[in-house]
């Protein structure tokens, strides 16, 4: 019996041994390569190589934004995360360097004591290093420490994201190989955001190269900081000074609002992109505003990737980074500078009185905006907002820029400053009343200087000549109208308020709102950067009082009250008229394919859905009447006699001036710390500023009490339009005297450069 049991036991052992041998053979011989590959993969450590951001070029190929070599102050991740093993290693290295013989000769307890003391010193030096780095930012120490702490947190998030991505890729391969099943959706969220619903990475052997690399704390340090930090490298654990790249803007403040800014990514910027070579990560830079934001995906490029096996010097795989795409803007940076100079130079403004005498007053550093649009293509050839700021110093200047309530330098006045367009809106009323056949080009309305409807004369709605000079249009010397009965073209030339208040009354509120909307006001243009919609009168939002609604309608007829537009709106209006009623979506980038267009990141919802071109269907006689009126504004006797735009006649310009009355400038009051002050009732404390307080903020009239924004819109050449223009000068007073003269300077430069089809001697 015993022998039988022994034989059964031996047979069982032999069978198990045979199975083990067969399995071993399968693993080592048949599947050996696969397992060796898997073992190698578990030892692989990927290293991502950052790419170079693409350039932004102007219309003529000049560099507006480039990546330039610099030096970054970086700190080893193990110092950032306070890795105790690494800190212990640093302490040991220090001890061996400082007291090699004494340390080696000491007993175990002495060595442990010395090591503990040195580890404490390493921690102290790390804390001191953060303090020194904070001081080198040039910001208040508390603010600087908070920023550095935020950067450290972002770096830790970035490294954890890398580890999650490596783990996820391995998990994804395993699922595909074994079960051919897709990963659970929560894994995708966990890769990007982390959280408590995913696995604990510390329980897995997931190591990435970023855990042993230095990460940027201070970007693009100056030469003095480089020297100062170089002196403390020996007592700053983990600190490295590393060659890198930073964004440089060769033209400084020129085009700052169009080019835009970059900043560190925020949580909402990071998408669930599975591609680690294009995916945004914490501490990355992203285009935040302007073209940097619009074309961010094209400019960003693609990282490179180097794959190494632990213990091996030669990489097993190496992919070079793909440099970001260059993008070409439609703006001309030289034209931009011409506009900036036109706003900055001291000039003489002329204020006309009832006795036709004039007073010269100096104005400089004007606030406002100008937009130039290429009529055939819709490309924005210039877009300037004054004042601006130096893009190269944006981070350092931001606290001051953000609290400058007087000058508002961060506001892109060209696309975000909603102002009443004043008499320039009469162009819309003229188009609407003629297209609706409420009037014909030959029909007239009498102007006596007062608004008269159905035989009733209203105290509201006097014409500007009656209010300012106490003379009606038909009697204004030296270009008096023979009868006082004005056509649409006459009323545009003389900018008659009574005429267009009457037109608005005849059209009615719904049609007035319709034509404002039809010609692009009250909605975005889709230009591709941050912009305001403006405002137009809406019946449902107005008072129920009949007289209040009617007075609102009259004001809307002359571009005031419930009407608000940006300079971009008005430039596009001028371009639409210049194209004989064809509205086009203004563009700031050129040379993009249809595929490139899908990569743009539109800042305003719905921008990408706006059509590129819409024919508004105006009849030829309607357009002819408006063209004639705009031509006579600049070239006719009334315009020439007052001097409003006579200087532009030689440029063959058609246009319309406007002066929109505005209240006194008010600014928010702030305390010494820059915090907005509140009244006892909880409302913001606003302080009115008296006229003439600043060179750009001046009142008009006998006592300088009247305040108005100055507008000019138009196109040139009048007979074959190439460029459309809009100029807004805040608190400029007279549209012709101030905005018209700025426009003249701009258009003269356009002619010199050949944009108007004929370059002057010495022009380009």
């Amino acid at each position: 019996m015993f022998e039988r049991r022994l034989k059964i036991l031996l047979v069982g052992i032999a069978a198990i041994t045979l199975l083990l041998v067969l399995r071993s053979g399968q693993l080592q011989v048949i599947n050996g390569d696969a397992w060796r590959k898997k073992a190698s993969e578990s030892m692989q450590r990927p290293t991502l190589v950052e790419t170079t951001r693409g350039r932004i070029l102007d219309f003529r190929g000049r560099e507006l934004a480039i990546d330039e070599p610099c030096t970054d102050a970086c700190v080893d991740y193990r110092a950032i995360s306070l890795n105790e093993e690494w800190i212990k290693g640093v302490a040991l290295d220090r001890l061996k360097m400082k007291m090699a013989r004494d340390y080696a000769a000491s007993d175990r307890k002495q060595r442990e004591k010395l090591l503990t003391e040195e580890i404490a010193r390493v921690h102290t030096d790390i804390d001191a290093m953060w303090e020194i780095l904070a001081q080198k930012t040039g910001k208040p120490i508390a603010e600087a420490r908070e920023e550095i702490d935020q950067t450290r947190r972002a770096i830790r998030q970035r490294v954890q994201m890398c580890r999650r991505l490596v783990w996820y890729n391995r998990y994804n391969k395993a699922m595909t190989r074994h079960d051919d099943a897709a990963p659970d959706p929560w894994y995708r969220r966990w890769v990007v955001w982390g959280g408590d619903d995913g696995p604990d990475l510390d329980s897995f052997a997931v190591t990435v190269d970023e855990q042993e690399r230095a990460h940027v704390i201070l970007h693009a340090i100056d030469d003095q900081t480089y020297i100062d930090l170089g002196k403390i490298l020996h007592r700053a654990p983990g600190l490295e000074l590393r060659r890198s790249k930073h964004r440089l803007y060769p033209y400084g403040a020129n085009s700052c609002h169009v080019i835009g800014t970059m900043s560190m990514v925020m949580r909402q910027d990071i998408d669930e992109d599975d591609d680690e070579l294009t995916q945004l990560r914490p501490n990355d830079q992203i285009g935040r505003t302007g073209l940097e934001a619009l074309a961010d995906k094209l400019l960003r490029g693609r990282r490179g990737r180097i794959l190494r096996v632990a213990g091996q010097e030669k990489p097993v795989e190496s992919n070079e980074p793909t440099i970001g795409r260059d993008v070409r803007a439609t703006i001309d940076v030289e034209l931009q500078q011409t506009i900036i100079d036109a706003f900055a130079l001291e000039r003489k403004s002329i204020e006309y009185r009832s006795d036709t005498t004039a007073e010269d007053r100096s104005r400089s550093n004007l606030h406002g905006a100008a937009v130039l649009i290429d009529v055939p293509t819709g490309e924005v050839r210039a877009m300037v907002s004054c004042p601006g700021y130096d893009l190269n110093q944006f981070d350092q200047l931001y606290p001051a820029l953000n609290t400058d309530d007087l000058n508002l330098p961060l506001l892109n006045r060209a696309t975000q400053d909603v102002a009443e367009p004043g008499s320039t809106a009469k162009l819309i009323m003229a188009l609407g009343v003629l297209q609706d056949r409420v009037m014909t080009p030959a029909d007239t309305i009498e102007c006596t200087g007062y608004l008269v409807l159905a035989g009733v004369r209203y105290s509201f709605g006097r014409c500007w000549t009656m209010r300012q000079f106490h003379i009606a249009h038909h009697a204004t010397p030296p270009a008096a109208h023979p009868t006082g009965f004005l056509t649409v073209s006459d009323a545009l030339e003389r900018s008659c308020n009574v005429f267009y208040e009457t037109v608005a009354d005849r059209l009615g509120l719904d049609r007035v709102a319709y034509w404002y909307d039809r010609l692009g006001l009250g909605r975005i243009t889709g230009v591709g950067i941050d912009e305001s919609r403006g405002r137009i009168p809406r019946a449902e939002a107005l008072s129920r009082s009949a007289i209040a609604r009617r007075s609102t309608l009259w004001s809307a007829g002359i571009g005031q009250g419930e009407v608000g537009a940006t300079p971009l709106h008005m430039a596009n209006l001028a371009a639409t008229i210049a194209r004989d009623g064809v509205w086009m979506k203004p563009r700031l980038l050129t040379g993009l394919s249809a595929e490139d267009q899908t990569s743009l990141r539109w800042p305003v919802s719905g921008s990408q859905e706006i059509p590129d071109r819409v024919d508004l269907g105006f009849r030829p006689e309607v357009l002819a009447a408006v063209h004639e009126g705009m031509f006579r504004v600049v070239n006719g006797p009334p315009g020439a006699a007052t001097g409003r735009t006579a200087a532009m006649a030689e440029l063959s310009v058609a246009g319309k001036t406007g002066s929109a009355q505005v209240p006194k400038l008010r600014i928010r009051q702030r305390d010494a710390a820059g915090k907005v002050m509140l009244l006892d009732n909880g409302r913001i404390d606003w302080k009115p500023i008296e006229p003439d307080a600043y060179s750009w903020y001046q009142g008009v009239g006998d006592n300088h009490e009247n305040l108005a924004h100055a507008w000019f819109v138009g196109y040139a050449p009048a007979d074959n339009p190439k460029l459309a223009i809009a100029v807004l000068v805040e608190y400029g007073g007279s549209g012709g005297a101030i905005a018209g003269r700025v426009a003249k300077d701009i258009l003269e430069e356009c002619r010199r450069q050949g944009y108007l089809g004929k370059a002057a001697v010495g022009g380009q």
Side-chain angles (χ1 to χ4, degrees):
M1 179 65 70
F2 175 77
E3 292 180 357
R4 182 182 176 186
R5 290 179 179 176
L6 183 60
K7 289 179 181 179
I8 293 173
L9 179 61
L10 291 174
V11 170
I13 293 174
I16 293 172
T17 303
L18 180 61
L19 288 174
L20 291 174
V21 170
L22 292 174
R23 179 58 176 162
S24 177
Q26 181 189 21
L27 294 176
Q28 297 185 39
V29 179
I30 300 175
N31 296 332
D33 291 340
W35 285 105
R36 278 190 292 272
K37 181 179 179 181
K38 187 172 182 178
S40 176
E41 288 178 354
S42 67
M43 298 290 288
Q44 291 176 356
R45 292 188 181 180
T47 301
L48 298 181
V49 182
E50 294 301 324
T51 183
T52 300
R53 191 172 176 85
R55 301 176 299 167
I56 299 177
L57 309 174
D58 88 332
F59 180 64
R60 296 186 183 273
R62 307 179 189 96
E63 293 178 334
L64 303 179
I66 58 175
D67 272 9
E68 185 186 61
C70 67
T71 301
D72 293 339
C74 307
V75 176
D76 194 296
Y77 180 75
R78 292 164 293 190
I80 295 172
S81 62
L82 295 177
N83 183 290
E84 291 300 331
E85 288 297 320
W86 179 81
I87 292 175
K88 181 178 179 181
V90 171
L92 278 171
D93 290 341
R94 285 184 172 187
L95 286 173
K96 292 176 181 177
M97 184 178 297
K98 289 190 298 184
M99 45 187 302
R101 291 184 179 179
D102 294 341
Y103 181 76
S106 59
D107 59 29
R108 183 173 62 83
K109 288 186 178 181
Q110 288 177 317
R111 287 199 299 269
E112 288 180 354
K113 180 182 178 182
L114 291 171
L115 181 58
T116 300
E117 292 173 351
E118 192 63 34
I119 288 174
R121 279 191 286 271
V122 172
H123 277 284
T124 300
D125 287 345
I126 290 176
D127 291 338
M129 175 181 66
W130 298 128
E131 194 72 20
I132 293 171
L133 291 174
Q135 293 171 2
K136 294 303 178 182
T137 64
K139 299 179 180 179
I141 194 66
E143 178 185 343
R145 280 304 305 262
E146 174 58 31
E147 286 188 7
I148 286 180
D149 288 343
Q150 183 179 350
T151 300
R152 291 163 61 189
R153 288 192 294 269
I155 291 169
R156 287 195 291 268
Q157 292 172 3
R158 179 189 182 100
V159 172
Q160 290 304 308
M161 183 175 167
C162 292
R163 296 183 68 201
R164 287 192 294 268
L165 187 59
V166 170
W167 190 96
Y168 169 76
N169 287 336
R170 293 177 184 173
Y171 163 80
N172 193 9
K173 290 179 181 179
M175 292 291 289
T176 303
R177 182 165 57 246
H178 293 295
D179 299 330
D180 198 23
D184 294 336
W186 67 266
Y187 279 109
R188 293 179 179 273
R189 297 192 300 272
W190 173 73
V191 167
V192 177
W193 308 121
D196 298 330
D197 55 350
D200 180 8
L201 277 176
D202 291 333
S203 63
F204 298 93
V206 179
T207 303
V208 293
D209 187 66
E210 281 81 356
Q211 290 174 266
E212 299 175 358
R213 286 176 55 192
H215 296 259
V216 178
I217 302 296
L218 298 183
H219 187 55
I221 60 176
D222 57 34
D223 292 342
Q224 186 59 51
T225 301
Y226 176 84
I227 294 171
D228 293 343
L229 293 181
K231 295 177 180 178
I232 66 165
L233 286 175
H234 65 284
R235 54 186 176 88
L239 179 63
E240 295 181 16
L241 302 179
R242 189 171 65 196
R243 301 301 296 173
S244 182
K245 301 183 185 72
H246 76 117
R247 203 65 167 163
L248 177 71
Y249 302 96
Y251 290 91
N254 187 328
S255 311
C256 59
H257 297 94
V258 178
I259 297 170
T261 59
M262 298 185 65
S263 67
M264 192 177 297
V265 301
M266 296 184 289
R267 182 180 179 120
Q268 59 265 32
D269 299 319
I270 303 177
D271 52 24
E272 296 181 7
D273 188 350
D274 288 337
D275 189 346
E276 65 176 338
L277 302 184
T278 58
Q279 187 181 56
L280 287 169
R281 300 181 177 191
N283 221 32
D284 279 347
Q285 292 280 312
I286 187 174
R288 184 62 61 195
T289 63
L291 296 181
E292 291 279 25
L294 179 65
D296 183 70
K297 288 188 176 181
L298 297 174
L299 293 165
R300 196 184 304 167
R302 185 180 176 86
R303 298 183 184 90
R305 187 171 184 268
I306 298 175
L307 198 61
R308 288 188 174 90
V309 175
Q312 295 183 15
E313 184 66 25
K314 186 177 180 181
V316 297
E317 181 183 324
S318 180
N319 296 316
E320 293 295 324
T322 302
I323 296 176
R325 286 267 307 277
D326 291 345
V327 297
R328 186 178 293 265
T330 61
I331 62 171
D332 183 324
V333 73
E334 283 194 5
L335 276 182
Q336 296 275 115
Q337 190 59 52
T338 295
I339 297 173
I340 294 170
D341 293 342
F343 274 85
L345 289 176
E346 183 172 307
R347 58 181 65 251
K348 300 293 183 179
S349 66
I350 301 176
E351 299 175 10
Y352 292 90
R353 304 172 184 274
S354 57
D355 59 2
T356 69
T357 61
E359 176 190 1
D360 290 349
R361 301 170 63 207
S362 298
R363 291 178 185 262
S364 60
N365 297 319
L366 302 177
H367 288 198
V371 178
L372 273 172
I373 295 179
D374 184 75
V375 171
T377 66
E379 294 181 350
V380 178
R381 201 61 73 222
M383 179 183 283
V384 169
S385 174
C386 291
Y389 53 88
D390 188 345
L391 280 171
N392 295 306
Q393 301 181 46
F394 176 74
D395 290 338
Q396 300 93 311
L397 295 175
Y398 181 77
L401 296 173
N402 193 43
T403 55
D404 188 350
D405 298 319
L406 175 64
N407 298 294
L408 299 175
L410 293 177
L411 178 70
N412 184 357
R413 288 168 162 83
T415 63
Q416 295 175 302
D417 190 5
V418 177
E420 295 176 358
S423 293
T424 60
K426 293 171 183 175
L427 298 171
I428 298 176
M429 294 296 95
L431 290 167
V433 76
L434 295 178
Q435 186 68 13
D436 280 354
R437 302 182 190 275
V438 174
M439 292 182 66
T440 70
D443 288 342
T444 62
I445 295 174
E446 183 183 16
C447 176
T448 63
Y450 294 90
L451 178 62
V452 180
L453 298 170
V456 178
R457 192 174 87 169
Y458 293 87
S459 59
F460 176 91
R462 284 185 300 168
C463 225
W464 66 272
T465 56
M466 181 62 70
R467 187 174 59 250
Q468 189 170 348
F469 305 139
H470 308 293
I471 301 175
H473 277 293
H474 68 275
T476 305
H481 192 277
T483 66
F485 288 85
L486 308 178
T487 65
V488 164
S489 299
D490 292 335
L492 284 178
E493 178 184 16
R494 296 165 184 273
S495 198
C496 179
N497 286 353
V498 167
F499 186 99
Y500 285 101
E501 288 163 350
T502 305
V503 162
D505 193 77
R506 292 181 181 182
L507 282 171
L509 188 59
D510 289 341
R511 294 306 292 176
V512 167
Y514 169 83
W515 283 113
Y516 273 124
D517 176 76
R518 185 72 170 156
L519 284 154
L521 275 67
R523 51 191 170 94
I524 60 172
T525 66
V527 70
I529 61 177
D530 288 323
E531 59 174 323
S532 298
R533 297 177 180 274
R535 63 179 183 272
I536 60 177
R538 303 287 186 185
E540 61 272 14
L542 300 182
S543 168
R544 293 185 178 182
S545 166
I547 188 63
R549 291 167 66 89
R550 203 172 184 190
S551 63
T552 297
L553 174 60
W554 298 336
S555 293
I558 58 173
Q560 299 207 164
E562 295 299 318
V563 183
T566 66
L568 177 62
H569 281 130
M570 301 311 293
N572 215 31
L573 168 65
T576 300
I577 297 172
R579 298 188 202 100
D580 288 335
V582 176
W583 185 94
M584 291 181 68
K585 183 177 180 178
R587 294 187 293 126
L588 279 169
L589 291 175
T590 186
L592 298 183
S593 66
E595 183 180 357
D596 292 337
Q597 292 282 347
T598 63
S599 299
L600 299 180
R601 197 176 80 218
W602 301 95
V604 184
S605 177
S607 296
Q608 65 272 33
E609 300 167 5
I610 295 175
D612 291 332
R613 181 184 180 94
V614 179
D615 190 337
L616 302 181
F618 287 107
R619 298 190 307 279
E621 63 271 22
V622 173
L623 294 162
V626 174
H627 285 310
E628 180 186 353
M630 293 180 70
F631 182 79
R632 285 161 53 183
V633 165
V634 178
N635 303 278
T642 61
R644 292 196 308 261
T645 51
M648 279 194 287
E650 62 186 54
L651 294 172
S652 182
V653 179
K656 183 72 189 79
T657 60
S659 300
Q661 294 178 344
V662 289
K664 286 182 180 179
L665 174 66
R666 298 191 309 156
I667 62 173
R668 293 176 294 186
Q669 298 302 290
R670 296 179 182 268
D671 59 22
K675 185 178 180 180
V676 175
M677 298 174 63
L678 301 178
L679 300 172
D680 293 339
N681 59 9
R683 295 183 177 179
I684 294 175
D685 184 10
W686 294 90
K687 177 185 177 182
I689 306 299
E690 293 301 317
D692 299 348
Y694 304 97
S695 62
W696 53 269
Y697 175 63
Q698 296 186 4
V700 297
D702 292 340
N703 298 316
H704 300 172
E705 293 179 349
N706 299 324
L707 294 167
H709 291 336
W711 283 91
F712 179 85
V713 303
Y715 54 84
D719 56 348
N720 183 23
K722 304 291 187 185
L723 290 176
I725 186 172
V727 174
L728 167 65
V729 179
E730 294 177 357
Y731 302 99
S734 169
I738 298 298
R741 292 173 186 269
V742 172
K744 173 184 173 292
D745 292 346
I746 297 168
L747 292 173
E748 282 183 339
E749 178 65 16
C750 291
R751 181 176 63 173
R752 188 185 73 81
Q753 293 197 28
Y755 281 112
L756 300 182
K758 183 180 180 181
V761 176
Q764 295 179 356

